[in-house]
């Protein structure tokens, strides 16, 4: 009965054979999102009857699954269309599609309290307040104009007023609004077999922590179940005007709840570093209680490829896949860069494998399996004999070549400015 309960909550699923695709941090970039989907081995996109974007599985059988890692909005003219396509996909395949809530998604709950009454009293004042809020509180200085552009594209109109834009943001978090619908179909964490999915990272101080509960969950399965119960209860209260969403906003903001959340934390050393931190043994041990050997996440931009991180004992692998600053010269800061992380699950109790594939901004292609024994250096600090202090082998370009990131110099957000390919055979 417990297993059925967990499956219903969407926090765990069995060990069915098949392939799970993980994509994350669309952030409203519709053109790039469509390129990502076209690149996927699991997904495809079609235009629906009304011209809306429609996501489908390439293969109709139940072995294909999909997880979206959060942050659907903020930086491009595709917030509404991407979010609606994801919700539609989730509703058509509730047992094969999961949506995670990112910090950019959850902070939009704040807008209802800011805009609802103000828009009625002082519409022009609401325009200035919204622009300031998006820029200073949500890190989305261009979101107002991007929404204007998207509304014009959807309506087929060349002019969209400031008040139309404010109304769109305000209605997005009211019942029936696209942002609230996305959150009503999302969750904070997911366990599929031996893989944990979260938007951000698993902080040592937050292991087992759920807001409002004094006792900590004893293991990751119970923890994700409790977090998702908390999340759904808070979203339901918000949707029925019984809450302003402050606990979810707090949980997803930088340092919220004393930095114990899984939404805003990252796997890097600090906000000023592009080098991954060593994964604490406490995190490895806690996750291993329920057989988790892998975490997939997004949230923190890290160049034009995902980044693999492995603990010293190699019992836990992390793949963090936010490529939102992949190409600083591209208008959308992503350009032609694409990536997909795939979890390949075998029937029964055999461990799954994780495959990472993509195309870098210089057209270099990569396609590797994290667990490949031929690349023992993958996801680890560079050995002393390589002569690269402070480096980290972030992906495998080939069995004898890796991409190294370093924490020095400019560009720590994109970090690709400090990345370089290295022949392992001549440096091992």
């Amino acid at each position: 009965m417990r297993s059925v309960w967990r499956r219903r909550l969407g926090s765990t699923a069995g060990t069915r054979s098949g392939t799970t695709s993980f994509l994350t941090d669309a952030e409203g970039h519709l053109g790039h999102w469509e390129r990502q989907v076209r690149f996927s081995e699991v997904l495809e996109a079609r235009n629906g009857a009304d011209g809306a974007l429609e996501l489908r599985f390439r293969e109709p059988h139940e072995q294909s699954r999909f997880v979206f890692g959060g942050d659907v909005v903020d930086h491009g003219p595709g917030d509404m269309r991407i979010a609606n396509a994801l919700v539609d996909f989730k509703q058509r395949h509730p047992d094969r599609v999961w949506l995670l809530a990112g910090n950019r998604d959850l902070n939009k709950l704040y807008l209802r309290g800011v805009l609802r009454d103000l828009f009625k009293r002082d519409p022009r004042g609401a325009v200035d307040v919204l622009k300031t809020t998006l820029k200073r509180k949500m890190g989305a200085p261009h979101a107002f104009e991007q929404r204007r552009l998207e509304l014009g594209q959807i309506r087929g109109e060349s002019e969209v007023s400031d008040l139309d834009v404010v109304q769109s943001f305000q209605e997005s978090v009211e019942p029936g609004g696209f942002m609230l619908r996305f959150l009503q179909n999302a969750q904070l964490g997911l366990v599929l077999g031996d893989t944990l999915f979260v938007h951000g990272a698993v902080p040592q101080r937050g292991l087992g922590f759920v807001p409002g509960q004094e006792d900590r969950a004893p293991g990751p399965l119970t923890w994700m179940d409790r977090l998702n119960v908390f999340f759904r209860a808070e979203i339901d209260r918000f949707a029925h005007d019984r809450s302003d969403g402050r606990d979810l906003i707090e949980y997803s903001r930088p340092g919220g709840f004393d930095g114990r959340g899984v939404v805003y934390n990252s796997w890097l050393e600090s906000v000023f570093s592009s080098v991954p931190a060593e994964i604490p043994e406490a995190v490895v041990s806690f996750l291993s209680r329920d057989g988790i050997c892998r975490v997939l996440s997004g949230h923190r931009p890290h160049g034009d490829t995902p980044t693999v991180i492995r603990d010293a004992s190699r019992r836990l692998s992390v793949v963090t896949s936010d490529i939102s600053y992949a190409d600083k010269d591209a208008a959308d800061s992503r350009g032609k860069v694409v990536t997909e992380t795939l979890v390949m699950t075998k029937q029964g109790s055999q461990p799954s494998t994780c495959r990472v594939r993509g195309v870098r901004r210089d057209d270099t292609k990569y396609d590797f399996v994290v667990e490949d024994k031929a690349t023992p250096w993958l996801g680890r600090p560079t050995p002393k004999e390589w002569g690269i202090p402070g480096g980290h082998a972030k992906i495998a370009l080939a069995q004898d070549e890796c991409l190294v990131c370093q924490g020095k110099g400019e560009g720590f957000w994109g970090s690709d400015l400090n990345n370089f390919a290295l022949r392992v055979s001549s440096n091992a």
Side-chain angles (χ1 to χ4, degrees):
M1 189 68 187
R2 182 170 174 77
S3 176
V4 173
W5 182 68
R6 285 176 175 166
R7 188 187 298 265
R8 176 173 61 84
L9 289 176
S11 64
T12 63
T15 54
R16 296 171 293 171
S17 61
T19 301
T20 302
S21 168
F22 177 73
L23 300 177
T24 187
D25 293 271
E27 296 184 2
H29 290 294
L30 183 61
H32 183 264
W33 174 249
E34 291 177 335
R35 286 194 293 276
Q36 288 272 78
V37 173
R38 286 197 298 270
F39 179 73
S40 171
E41 292 188 351
V42 172
L43 306 179
E44 61 182 9
R46 301 179 184 179
N47 288 327
D50 58 354
L53 180 68
E54 185 176 291
L55 295 173
R56 293 177 177 266
F57 285 110
R58 290 187 181 275
E59 300 294 337
H61 52 70
E62 293 188 358
Q63 281 80 1
S64 297
R65 298 180 287 275
F66 172 65
V67 179
F68 176 70
D71 276 6
V72 72
V73 296
D74 267 359
H75 291 312
D79 289 1
M80 294 182 285
R81 286 169 286 184
I82 298 174
N84 286 333
L86 287 167
V87 170
D88 172 70
F89 197 30
K90 169 67 177 176
Q91 293 181 340
R92 282 187 284 115
H93 302 283
D95 297 324
R96 299 170 60 194
V97 174
W98 295 270
L99 312 177
L100 301 185
N103 53 289
R104 293 189 175 279
D105 312 316
L106 286 165
N107 68 21
K108 298 303 174 290
L109 298 176
Y110 178 76
L111 293 178
R112 191 177 73 180
V114 170
L115 297 177
R116 179 187 273 180
D117 295 332
L118 179 61
F119 187 57
K120 295 177 183 178
R121 294 194 324 268
D122 181 11
R124 296 306 312 175
V127 172
D128 294 334
V129 168
L130 176 58
K131 288 181 177 180
T132 300
T133 300
L134 290 170
K135 180 179 180 179
R136 297 183 180 178
K137 289 185 176 294
M138 298 183 176
H142 306 297
F144 192 95
E145 292 305 319
Q146 296 287 6
R147 180 63 55 82
R148 190 198 307 275
L149 180 59
E150 183 171 20
L151 288 170
Q153 292 171 346
I154 292 174
R155 298 174 180 178
E157 300 174 357
S158 59
E159 293 189 10
V160 176
S161 72
D162 285 354
L163 298 187
D164 287 337
V165 176
V166 176
Q167 185 174 11
S168 174
F169 273 98
Q170 188 255 316
E171 291 180 346
S172 73
V173 287
E174 298 287 358
F178 83 89
M179 196 70 253
L180 183 54
R181 287 181 66 243
F182 176 86
L183 292 171
Q184 287 173 316
N185 285 273
Q187 56 198 78
L188 290 179
L190 168 71
V191 177
L192 295 179
D194 56 8
T195 304
L196 169 64
F197 299 82
V198 294
H199 178 66
V202 179
Q204 180 175 341
R205 68 190 311 168
L207 293 172
F209 167 75
V210 178
Q213 298 185 13
E214 293 185 4
D215 64 315
R216 297 203 176 206
L221 291 178
T222 303
W223 183 27
M224 290 301 111
D225 283 345
R226 291 182 183 180
L227 269 181
N228 289 330
V229 168
F230 155 75
F231 174 80
R232 288 195 173 94
E234 290 301 307
I235 289 295
D236 184 69
R237 292 177 65 224
F238 180 89
H240 290 87
D241 262 350
R242 296 195 301 269
S243 166
D244 59 6
R246 67 180 61 187
D247 282 350
L248 285 176
I249 296 169
E250 176 71 8
Y251 186 80
S252 61
R253 75 169 182 83
F257 283 110
D258 200 25
R260 290 177 287 178
V262 299
V263 177
Y264 205 91
N265 277 293
S266 87
W267 297 100
L268 305 185
E269 287 182 340
S270 73
V271 296
F272 302 109
S273 173
S274 67
V275 174
E278 190 70 53
I279 302 173
E281 172 60 27
V283 172
V284 179
S285 297
F286 181 83
L287 295 182
S288 67
R289 293 176 190 176
D290 289 319
I292 292 174
C293 64
R294 179 183 308 110
V295 182
L296 300 191
S297 69
H299 175 56
R300 175 68 188 271
H302 205 245
D304 64 356
T305 72
T307 295
V308 178
I309 312 166
R310 305 180 81 177
D311 73 300
S313 65
R314 292 178 174 80
R315 288 184 292 153
L316 182 70
S317 299
V318 170
V319 182
T320 181
S321 303
D322 183 355
I323 55 168
S324 57
Y325 285 82
D327 187 346
K328 64 182 178 63
D329 297 320
D332 63 359
S333 75
R334 300 167 187 235
K336 58 189 175 183
V337 174
V338 289
T339 189
E340 181 179 37
T341 302
L342 301 165
V343 178
M344 323 293 287
T345 307
K346 298 179 180 180
Q347 190 69 40
S349 59
Q350 296 186 46
S352 65
T353 55
C354 182
R355 179 178 161 216
V356 184
R357 55 190 293 269
V359 180
R360 300 183 63 208
R361 65 178 183 175
D362 63 358
D363 292 319
T364 302
K365 297 180 180 179
Y366 56 90
D367 191 337
F368 63 92
V369 173
V370 172
E371 297 80 12
D372 191 340
K373 294 182 179 179
T375 56
W377 36 263
L378 178 62
R380 295 293 302 153
T382 52
K384 289 183 179 180
E385 55 267 30
W386 288 16
I388 308 170
H392 181 92
K394 74 192 300 272
I395 69 163
L397 295 173
Q399 287 191 350
D400 62 346
E401 188 176 25
C402 70
L403 192 67
V404 173
C405 64
Q406 285 187 293
K408 61 184 180 182
E410 299 180 12
F412 60 87
W413 271 111
S415 85
D416 55 301
L417 298 181
N418 300 318
N419 291 353
F420 54 92
L422 182 73
R423 285 283 179 184
V424 175
S425 58
S426 62
N427 290 277

